[in-house]
Amino acid sequence: MLYNLLYPLHEQVQFFNLFKYLTFRSGGAVLTALVISFIIAPPMIRWLRKVQNGGQPIRDDGPQSHLLTKKGTPTMGGLMMLFSVAISTLLWADITNAYVWIALFVTLGYGAIGFTDDYLKVTKKNHKGLSGKKKLLFQFLIALVAAIWITKVTPDGLNHHLALPFFKNVLLNLGVLYIPFVMFVLVGASNAVNLTDGLDGLAIVPIMIAAACFALITYLAGNLMFANYLQIHFVPGTGELSIFCAAMIGAGLGFLWYNAPPAMVFMGDTGSLAFGGSLGAVAVMAKHEIVLGIIGGLFVVEAMSVMIQVFWFKRTGKRVFRMAPIHHHFEKMGWQESTIVVRFWIVAVILALIGLSTLKLR
């Protein structure tokens, strides 16, 4: 909005010329989201603690240490992240850009699903919340709308195509299968991040790492000169998504301040479903869906550990892991929570570097 209001005045006031630069506006988005988070977090945490009266229900079958250290901690902290990202993005991005609105639609839509799930958990005092079938149904409906929207605004020749990393100028035309593919990416990314959110600070840092990577990727993919140099597919308009990703980083930093061990608030499904879905949407719009699987490899491993555990237990009655998702497996092995969190952060950084290398290795 600042871009739309102030940049047209740059001939009268030279300072306003800065607003045409994505780098300047991305920096502004980070700082704005961070400041908003710091302002609204304390009163919101107090309000959540008051209305929830006991905080997020803790799984009885989980690590026993959680019953002692995490009981009473309020959830739905993702609300302050959603608010920060939405306001910051609307302030600094070009609000005539359709990609920006798609990203916000997915983020807020999945956030609403997560909020409903969290609300049912705290009101019913049960960790199950919204049923899995209903949750998936609403996720796929939002993903369907987003997928159709994306194909409408993406240029012909790219709008039904899948780009492959490491190969220049290779596009697979998925045709009618592209819509289901996009839906799978969005729903899969959303639930993978949701499964990762089980320890203080575990999910939010990999989210910020992935957001930082896609801030760079969208900036490059939306710039014809850089896209041609790197031999990646040029998608006009996706550069504005770098501002959205920057807002995610700022909101994530603000949330981490209060989510650092011992956490004062959990993001809940309100945050994890929303920001997992937003990462999926950004990856699809930038034509880097497979790269998301590399950069967000930690989320993939967490989700796969659950699927493997369920499949093998139903088939044999035995468990592959002591507990799933896999971060709980390491807790059961005796690793300290802080050790697991920091080591998983390191893994997330390594995977991010591998993912970014695909931009040059062609």
Side-chain angles (χ1 to χ4, degrees):
M1 191 177 299
L2 293 176
Y3 167 80
N4 302 97
L5 292 174
L6 299 180
Y7 177 64
L9 304 176
H10 70 279
E11 291 184 358
Q12 289 77 30
V13 182
Q14 190 175 5
F15 173 78
F16 293 153
N17 192 54
L18 285 171
F19 285 87
K20 78 174 182 180
Y21 296 108
L22 287 173
T23 49
F24 173 75
R25 288 188 283 133
S26 295
V30 171
L31 294 176
T32 301
L34 179 60
V35 170
I36 292 174
S37 296
F38 282 151
I39 291 173
I40 67 175
M44 182 171 286
I45 292 173
R46 289 194 297 269
W47 176 73
L48 290 173
R49 188 178 291 117
K50 179 180 179 181
V51 298
Q52 292 180 16
N53 190 26
Q56 175 174 302
I58 306 300
R59 289 174 57 180
D60 295 330
D61 60 341
Q64 292 302 304
S65 60
H66 288 204
L67 296 174
L68 298 175
T69 60
K70 302 185 186 299
K71 188 175 182 180
T73 305
T75 187
M76 297 187 192
L79 281 173
M80 71 179 189
M81 298 169 64
L82 291 174
F83 186 81
S84 301
V85 168
I87 297 299
S88 182
T89 300
L90 291 174
L91 280 175
W92 292 100
D94 178 2
I95 60 174
T96 65
N97 185 292
Y99 292 120
V100 171
W101 288 107
I102 295 172
L104 288 175
F105 168 74
V106 172
T107 303
L108 297 178
Y110 278 19
I113 297 172
F115 176 84
T116 304
D117 189 36
D118 289 334
Y119 178 79
L120 292 175
K121 288 176 183 177
V122 297
T123 54
K124 293 183 177 181
K125 301 299 179 183
N126 188 303
H127 65 82
K128 293 183 179 180
L130 191 66
S131 70
K133 290 182 179 179
K134 289 182 180 179
K135 190 185 297 185
L136 283 175
L137 173 63
F138 292 129
Q139 285 179 305
F140 274 112
L141 286 175
I142 292 173
L144 174 61
V145 174
I148 295 173
W149 196 353
I150 290 170
T151 60
K152 296 297 183 182
V153 301
T154 304
D156 293 337
L158 291 173
N159 55 354
H160 289 88
H161 296 70
L162 172 66
L164 299 180
F166 303 112
F167 295 95
K168 54 187 177 182
N169 302 320
V170 175
L171 282 171
L172 298 181
N173 188 350
L174 299 183
V176 295
L177 296 178
Y178 185 74
I179 297 294
F181 171 74
V182 172
M183 294 168 64
F184 172 77
V185 172
L186 267 60
V187 175
S190 177
N191 286 292
V193 173
N194 179 239
L195 291 170
T196 306
D197 183 34
L199 300 176
D200 298 350
L202 177 59
I204 189 59
V205 171
I207 287 174
M208 288 191 291
I209 291 171
C213 290
F214 276 96
L216 175 61
I217 290 172
T218 53
Y219 176 79
L220 297 172
N223 185 295
L224 179 61
M225 182 178 67
F226 288 133
N228 287 338
Y229 172 72
L230 293 170
Q231 300 183 47
I232 61 177
H233 299 285
F234 171 57
V235 188
T238 52
E240 290 294 323
L241 290 173
S242 62
I243 295 168
F244 172 78
C245 293
M248 287 179 61
I249 297 170
L253 287 171
F255 175 76
L256 181 61
W257 185 272
Y258 300 96
N259 186 240
M264 298 173 62
V265 66
F266 300 141
M267 76 167 71
D269 287 8
T270 306
S272 59
L273 290 180
F275 290 100
S278 65
L279 288 173
V282 170
V284 168
M285 290 185 279
K287 311 308 295 182
H288 279 74
E289 303 94 333
I290 296 178
V291 174
L292 174 63
I294 302 173
I295 291 174
L298 178 65
F299 305 131
V300 175
V301 170
E302 292 273 16
M304 289 297 298
S305 70
V306 174
M307 290 188 283
I308 291 170
Q309 185 87 321
V310 172
F311 171 79
W312 195 248
F313 185 78
K314 287 184 176 180
R315 191 175 182 86
T316 67
K318 298 180 180 179
R319 292 178 171 84
V320 177
F321 307 103
R322 296 187 181 184
M323 186 177 177
I326 197 168
H327 55 261
H328 290 317
H329 170 78
F330 291 109
E331 277 193 291
K332 293 283 190 177
M333 287 179 60
W335 288 24
Q336 293 296 316
E337 179 174 340
S338 58
T339 301
I340 298 170
V341 169
V342 173
R343 287 178 178 174
F344 275 41
W345 289 352
I346 294 171
V347 171
V349 171
I350 294 171
L351 291 171
L353 294 174
I354 295 173
L356 288 176
S357 71
T358 65
L359 295 174
K360 190 58 182 171
L361 299 178
R362 297 272 160 174

